[in-house]
Amino acid sequence: MIQFDQNTLLALLPVVGTALLAMIVIVADIIWAERPRMITTVAALGILVLMALVVVVGPISVFDFNVGLLDGATEVFGGIYVRDGLTALLDLLMLSIALMTVLFGPDYLRPRGLPVAEFAAMLLFAITGAMLIGGARDLLMLFIALELMVLPGYMLAGYAKRDGLSTEGAIKYFLLGSFSSAIFLFGLVLIFGYSGTTNITAVASGIVATVSEQGLGGLAPGLAMGLALLTTGAAFKIAAVPFHYWTPDAYQGSPTPVTGYLSVGPKVAAFALILRLFVEALGGVKGDWTPFVVILAAMTMSLGNLVALTQDNIKRMLAYSSIAHTGYILVGLAAFGAAPDGSAAESAGLFGVLFYSVAYSFMNLGAFAVVAAMQRRPGVTSQIVTFSGLGRRAPGLALLMTLFLLSLVGIPPLAGFWAKVNVILPALQVGGWLTLLAVLTMLNAAAAAFYYLRVVVYMYFRDAPENAPPVNVGGSTRVGLGLAAAGTIAIGLVPPVTVAVITAAEGAARALL
């Protein structure tokens, strides 16, 4: 029988609080109709309270009224949900993404007549699903949490329902996302059939026992098929090549604040799903799935960068850039898979995946926030030429865009540089084919500098278009941009912040191992 003791309530409080905040936003919209600033304030303050709660609760195992919270990990509901280092890190990261998106959104949505409250509520429901993924220790819970995250994402992608591009992108996102979810579910069914359980810890031991009993020198056909289906479904969710076709259209058509969220939120959550499933449940057969991860990483980063070089629309350029960054993160996962069990490179690979996810969230969301600020006035396109002369028209905005783009390139000592270092070094430690993958990563990072710095050239070395409208940045957008810039700089340059992120990522990696 499931018991709701104080530890269970504390473990679930951040997730339940996020869902409740979404409902509070809806009620606030009824009370303060036609007052989007009030709705934004309620949502932002609520997220800040939840972030403080996550920091206080952390990864808990025991609550003692005489001592207080004790660090560790605790499983609730019979082990289907766990609150450990990975859960705490991802909760804090997903809430940070939600906070910045809520602050960026209104200045773009209000001039277009798009409701702010529904946007904030759907975003928070999606974040609730992402937070559930981070702590799921059961195959069914993983799938339910995944759907809770992606269903609001489909609605957000088509939020500008009178825009043909938005509708087209949302339909493609929905159709391909539904197919990928079905493929992923079939894979889960086959894994369940071979392990006899949906508990991830039991799946890990069951799969290893099944492989040992068969003694075939490899996976049974059904188990191999299940692994292939899971890999395909997960690759769709992270937009890995060749399962990336929905990404450019969905990103270009969606309202720009939604595009910023889609580029980081679902991607980080999908990598959390991969870590829970492939590391915790299928880590015992990692030698069978690692070669495919290596191939996916090489194809994803290379094709993403090559196509981004040809783009004149900055949202499509950042979409293909996002695909390339998926490839970089996969390098860390490949390093884990190729490393010997118990080696330093194994934990370093997982640390690289987590550290990159944190750094990428701030710098990429910041870049999309600048695009959204440029488009505050309806009618401004997302062509790169609209950035011409921005260094003179809006020096502060141009400086922030330059900061985010340099971090995406990987220029030291910004967050993007350390993120790339932390996925390349484990690959070099493993050696062999992973050395070639590390070299390919560095070559791709160098090639990416061309299309990122091209935007900088337009901002500082091209004249502004005639009759270019003034660029006015709203107050909430300024706060959001400040948070994104602070994260991008502090992760690489402020020792207390850097140490805190490293400690949290290392704790999450230990929880997985």
Side-chain angles (χ1 to χ4, degrees), residues 393-406:
R393 290 189 289 149
L397 203 60
L399 181 62
L400 287 174
M401 189 62 167
T402 303
L403 171 71
F404 297 131
L405 293 176
L406 290 178

Side-chain angles (χ1 to χ4, degrees), residues 209-224:
T210 300
V211 173
S212 300
E213 290 173 2
Q214 292 172 343
L216 300 176
L219 297 180
L223 187 55

Side-chain angles (χ1 to χ4, degrees), residues 286 335-347 426 429-431 513:
K286 65 180 184 178
F336 160 81
D341 291 338
S343 65
E346 189 181 45
S347 58
Q429 291 174 17
V430 173
L513 294 173

